[in-house]
Amino acid sequence: PFRPSLLGKVSTFFQMLTIFVAVYSQARTSSASLIAVQISVYFTLGFTLASAMHYLFTIQKRIAAHPAEPTPATTGDKPKSG
């Protein structure tokens, strides 16, 4: 496991904000609230994609730094019985 990144936290913030803005816009149907929903959705999309890419690169670095140990399944060897 690894610690949440700043991008992940910002992404979560915008996801929660988008929910709040969308619910609020249902109570106040105005063009300004609809624009606010659209803006928050785009910010949420951007930060969510950026966070996903960051996590993918982080995982890729970890995998490259610690290659897997060969196992009998990958080497074709039969496991030793006790």
Side-chain angles (χ1 to χ4, degrees), residues 7-77:
L7 275 174
K9 290 179 182 263
V10 172
S11 175
T12 301
F13 168 78
F14 275 104
Q15 291 167 2
M16 298 301 291
L17 179 68
T18 299
I19 292 169
F20 175 78
V21 171
V23 169
Y24 180 79
S25 74
Q26 292 299 306
R28 304 272 184 181
T29 54
S30 69
S31 61
S33 65
L34 294 177
I35 292 171
V37 171
Q38 288 180 334
I39 290 171
S40 64
V41 165
Y42 287 123
F43 271 102
T44 300
L45 176 65
F47 279 108
T48 300
L49 291 175
S51 176
M53 295 302 293
H54 178 260
Y55 281 121
L56 287 174
F57 289 131
T58 301
I59 291 169
Q60 183 182 17
K61 282 183 192 177
R62 283 188 175 196
I63 290 172
H66 302 287
E69 297 281 328
T71 62
T74 59
T75 60
D77 295 339

